[in-house]
Amino acid sequence: MTIKTSNAGVTVIKKLFSRHETFVFLAIVIFGLIITVVNPDFLTLENVFDLLKSYALMGTFAVGMLFVLISGGIDISFTAIATITGYVIAVLLLQNGEQLNIVSVFAIAGGVGVLLGIINALIIYYFNIPSIITTIATLNIYYGLLTVISKGKWLYGFPAWFGQYTQMYVFKFTAANGTSYGLSVITAFWFVLMLIAWFVLRYTVLGRSIYAMGGNSASAKRAGFNLLRLNLFVYGFMGLMAGFGSVIQALLVQTVAPNSLVGKELDVVAAVVLGGASLTGGTGSVLGTFLGVVLIAIMGNGLTLMRVPAFWYKVVIGTVILISVGASAYRRKVSARRRTIIEVE
Amino acid sequence: MERKYSEFLVLFFILLGVIGLMWLLNGSTFMSLNNFRSMAFQLPELGILSMAMMIAMLTSGINLSIIATANLAGIIMALILTQTIPPEATGPGGIGLVILAILAGLLVAAAIGLLNGFLIAHLEISPILATLGTMILVSGLALAITKGYVVSGFPPAMRAIGNSTILGLPVPILIFAAGAVILSVILQRTSLGARIYMLGSNPLACFYSGVNNPRVLMSTYLISGLYSGVAAIVMISRFNSAKADYGESYLLLTVLVSVLGGVSAAGGFGRVSGLILGLIILQIISNGLNLMGVNTFLTVALWGMVLIAVMVLQFLLNRYKEKRRSI
């Protein structure tokens, strides 16, 4: 009798544990506990809000990367795209910064980003070149040309109105010692992007088509999906996020440098992959991606707070990625096997 | 048969054209013995790494971890060479120690290769993600072991590998040639080679014709890892040091060399002879641009464009051939 009554609970738990996000969440809790035990400074609201602000950049890139991975591709040129859009807005801000406002800055950066992303999409679609090779090439083209044209100069000294956004909060607390902290508008912007992405992926035809293309692009094509349009959207969207990210970076550090983003593309791929997205099979979710970014953030921050030397950071991230990818691949394999058995019966 | 010859000939004529062009642009500085000697010392590193990339691409995979593997293997070798036994105790020029170090380095490279193979073959993770993960892990280990410092000061026997000549030929070129011959024999003369090509063209058909696909993939990534280890020997002996982030710009170039040499990114096609010609073409262009004083970043952008141009050309050629066949 008791078994029967607990059945509902068991299925809920079973369902929960069939989801990748649950494991990422558990990993976050475990890591969080360990870090807090070693250094109680970790689990303070101040630190949490701080992390959410400084990782809004990676989080924004990750939203774009999620779409690309779900579609079955990969894009590592986005850091170069973001560097270009960063330069474009920096030059405009320095030349006639008073005529611009935050909306136009985002629009310009996003627009340039979309254009560069579309170049990727056209090459990948029309010449059937694997996305990894295409974007390795365009990463070097975009970055090489930018460095030649900009001569590697750092740009700073933006107008005052551009600086104020780092100190703007949706809501704010004041600690006993007088320092104030809260939910930054930059974090809020990232959250809004995630909400939009979640809605598009879950409730629109466009979103479902991207999953279909990632699941099996040949069948998706036969089923009548317009793969050109989907590719344009996915890589264009990645470009848009790269452009937005470059504005966030410029807001956070008030400087645009040629080498501040390029080289970090794999960290973003890592975060999204940690969150359960895979290159094969049209899987991945916004919630998972958010948890992946959070996991990377607390590992980076936690190692610092635990006074672990910085060069161990990559070892930890690499190990966690391999375990995560390995575990989800293994589960996929087991469930595929189970499915075939049912078919036989 | 016809296809092989025509592709090789096309590459050969491109090579002649490139040599002519660089001669025209740079004159005698390009056509000097010294210049060719320095190219002969630079080329093997990239060549061996390109072979490590090529074999993964033949199975329609990719190995993003080759440079990280080479660096970690190099660091292990360097640590054994500098931090253990006094080299004089192990024979002239520390030869015993050098052999020990090289074996240890190759063992590490092989282990990373097997890890990649296991992830790709048995857990069925896509090669991009699997090798991305090992790349981050392995380069992290390299960084953690060295704390970012350079490990340098090798015994004479080690330095000799990278900087001396036998019968007028630089030792690195001889190592590269041996590696090329061995890989060519594996690919063209053994059943493993035949299986690698088959797996790359059509994994499902390959599986149903009785091939143990996971085993072929394990061997592929093991060989890829070992070649990265061999590249490490050449690399650290030439620089007389090892570091966690040497050669990071090679990733684009190894893909470019493979593609330029006729390796298909979709797998199943490509030969070592093509790769060697692709490598020489790239080295000559790079050397010529260098002599002309072209900005390195412009060169990098140029490589990106060449990579896309070659892939587009391959695509158009294939489509043209298919059209002719269907008629």
Side-chain angles (χ1 to χ4, degrees):
Chain A
M1 282 311 257
T2 44
I3 296 166
K4 250 189 186 161
T5 46
S6 66
N7 250 358
V10 169
T11 40
V12 167
I13 289 172
K14 251 192 188 161
K15 213 171 168 187
L16 222 51
F17 273 89
S18 72
R19 291 185 59 112
H20 185 88
E21 288 85 346
T22 313
F23 292 95
V24 186
F25 182 72
L26 286 178
I28 291 173
V29 171
I30 293 167
F31 268 109
L33 280 177
I34 297 172
I35 299 165
T36 312
V37 168
V38 178
N39 188 337
D41 281 345
F42 172 72
L43 207 64
T44 57
L45 273 179
E46 193 177 353
N47 189 38
V48 169
F49 280 125
D50 231 35
L51 275 182
L52 285 176
K53 184 173 162 188
S54 50
Y55 277 83
L57 172 67
M58 182 191 248
T60 303
F61 287 151
V63 171
M65 182 59 69
L66 173 68
F67 279 64
V68 180
L69 287 179
I70 291 174
S71 80
I74 192 167
D75 183 350
I76 61 165
S77 72
F78 69 90
T79 50
I81 295 178
T83 310
I84 291 181
T85 58
Y87 259 89
V88 169
I89 56 155
V91 168
L92 289 176
L93 280 171
L94 292 177
Q95 277 175 358
N96 41 2
E98 296 310 326
Q99 274 115 14
L100 293 166
N101 58 41
I102 195 72
V103 177
S104 58
V105 166
F106 269 106
I108 293 166
V112 175
V114 169
L115 277 180
L116 295 172
I118 280 178
I119 295 179
N120 283 337
L122 292 176
I123 296 171
I124 291 165
Y125 179 80
Y126 277 111
F127 302 111
N128 208 12
I129 305 176
S131 53
I132 178 88
I133 294 183
T134 304
T135 55
I136 286 180
T138 51
L139 166 72
N140 286 281
I141 297 173
Y142 294 159
Y143 183 58
L145 290 181
L146 175 89
T147 316
V148 171
I149 293 168
S150 72
K151 300 193 180 70
K153 258 190 236 145
W154 290 44
L155 301 180
Y156 44 84
F158 302 134
W161 66 262
F162 192 74
Q164 71 192 17
Y165 288 95
T166 34
Q167 300 307 323
M168 224 182 256
Y169 296 93
V170 178
F171 53 81
K172 198 152 93 167
F173 305 105
T174 306
N177 59 6
T179 55
S180 59
Y181 54 90
L183 187 74
S184 161
V185 282
I186 295 172
T187 315
F189 180 70
W190 169 34
F191 284 0
V192 169
L193 287 178
M194 281 196 294
L195 268 179
I196 296 171
W198 173 77
F199 181 80
V200 168
L201 282 177
R202 211 176 158 97
Y203 294 110
T204 66
V205 178
L206 178 67
R208 305 320 286 178
S209 325
I210 296 172
Y211 278 103
M213 177 164 79
N216 188 334
S217 79
S219 337
K221 193 174 181 180
R222 280 194 200 131
F225 290 105
N226 184 337
L227 293 193
L228 171 62
R229 222 181 287 159
L230 286 177
N231 270 302
L232 286 176
F233 174 77
V234 166
Y235 292 95
F237 184 71
M238 176 80 249
L240 182 72
M241 290 302 117
F244 286 177
S246 74
V247 181
I248 292 178
Q249 164 83 354
L251 285 171
L252 285 173
V253 297
Q254 294 293 317
T255 309
V256 170
N259 55 356
S260 59
L261 296 171
V262 171
K264 299 202 172 76
E265 49 281 326
L266 297 181
D267 290 355
V268 175
V269 179
V272 182
V273 167
L274 266 185
S278 97
L279 275 165
T280 45
T283 52
S285 68
V286 175
L287 177 65
T289 301
F290 172 67
L291 293 174
V293 173
V294 170
L295 186 56
I296 294 250
I298 67 166
M299 281 192 298
N301 178 248
L303 290 180
T304 316
L305 287 179
M306 293 195 294
R307 291 173 217 284
V308 177
F311 23 76
W312 282 100
Y313 169 72
K314 271 176 115 179
V315 180
V316 176
I317 300 270
T319 313
V320 173
I321 288 171
L322 285 182
I323 292 173
S324 158
V325 177
S328 57
Y330 181 74
R331 249 181 303 130
R332 201 166 47 235
K333 220 177 144 181
V334 168
S335 75
R337 202 176 295 152
R338 206 174 291 150
R339 228 174 290 145
T340 27
I341 291 170
I342 291 167
E343 264 170 35
V344 170
E345 282 172 353
Chain B
M1 214 50 184
E2 199 188 319
R3 176 169 194 258
K4 281 183 234 158
Y5 276 118
S6 66
E7 250 175 34
F8 192 83
L9 274 180
V10 168
L11 278 173
F12 192 73
F13 282 119
I14 293 177
L15 176 61
L16 288 183
V18 164
I19 292 179
L21 184 69
M22 289 306 156
W23 194 5
L24 214 70
L25 289 171
N26 292 300
S28 55
T29 36
F30 175 75
M31 269 301 174
S32 67
L33 194 64
N34 252 339
N35 191 36
F36 277 98
R37 266 183 67 103
S38 80
M39 274 196 265
F41 274 106
Q42 285 160 19
L43 174 136
E45 244 166 74
L46 179 60
I48 299 167
L49 283 173
S50 299
M51 289 194 278
M53 180 61 87
M54 172 197 189
I55 191 167
M57 282 176 72
L58 286 179
T59 62
S60 78
I62 195 164
N63 189 349
L64 300 174
S65 69
I66 49 175
I67 291 147
T69 306
N71 279 325
L72 184 65
I75 285 165
I76 299 297
M77 293 180 206
L79 286 178
I80 292 176
L81 287 170
T82 53
Q83 316 243 309
T84 51
I85 324 146
E88 298 77 29
T90 60
I95 198 149
L97 187 63
V98 168
I99 291 170
L100 178 75
I102 286 176
L103 285 179
L106 289 180
L107 202 68
V108 169
I112 300 166
L114 285 176
L115 174 64
N116 277 328
F118 174 76
L119 295 169
I120 294 163
H122 293 288
L123 291 183
E124 292 165 23
I125 303 174
S126 75
I128 296 176
L129 290 189
T131 57
L132 170 72
T134 46
M135 173 191 143
I136 296 177
L137 174 65
V138 167
S139 64
L141 280 174
L143 203 61
I145 292 173
T146 59
K147 301 190 171 65
Y149 291 121
V150 180
V151 186
S152 61
F154 303 149
M158 191 70 198
R159 271 174 287 156
I161 295 175
N163 301 298
S164 60
T165 55
I166 295 176
L167 300 172
L169 289 169
V171 176
I173 273 280
L174 295 174
I175 296 177
F176 168 65
V181 169
I182 292 171
L183 187 64
S184 189
V185 167
I186 291 175
L187 289 177
Q188 309 301 332
R189 298 266 177 273
T190 67
S191 63
L192 174 66
R195 287 181 179 141
I196 287 175
Y197 282 116
M198 211 153 90
L199 179 72
S201 325
N202 190 337
L204 210 61
C206 182
F207 178 72
Y208 282 122
S209 59
V211 172
N212 186 343
N213 280 5
R215 212 164 136 184
V216 175
L217 284 173
M218 287 293 275
S219 315
T220 301
Y221 284 92
L222 172 64
I223 295 172
S224 186
L226 276 173
Y227 271 75
S228 310
V230 175
I233 303 173
V234 176
M235 218 150 88
I236 68 165
S237 62
R238 213 162 67 80
F239 294 143
N240 191 20
S241 64
K243 194 167 178 273
D245 56 2
Y246 274 151
E248 277 189 334
S249 59
Y250 276 151
L251 188 64
L252 166 78
L253 292 178
T254 54
V255 176
L256 178 57
V257 166
S258 304
V259 171
L260 206 58
V263 177
S264 153
F269 294 101
R271 295 161 66 95
V272 177
S273 55
L275 178 126
I276 295 173
L277 283 185
L279 177 69
I280 299 174
I281 292 172
L282 191 129
Q283 180 68 48
I284 286 175
I285 300 176
S286 138
N287 176 267
L289 293 177
N290 201 8
L291 288 178
M292 288 190 286
V294 173
N295 184 318
T296 33
F297 285 102
L298 195 61
T299 315
V300 167
L302 192 74
W303 290 146
M305 292 181 211
V306 172
L307 176 55
I308 288 180
V310 173
M311 299 278 302
V312 167
L313 212 66
Q314 260 190 13
F315 171 80
L316 293 176
L317 267 177
N318 279 338
R319 208 169 60 173
Y320 172 72
K321 270 185 207 151
E322 258 166 40
K323 246 186 208 157
R324 244 186 19 181
R325 209 177 301 145
S326 66
I327 290 167

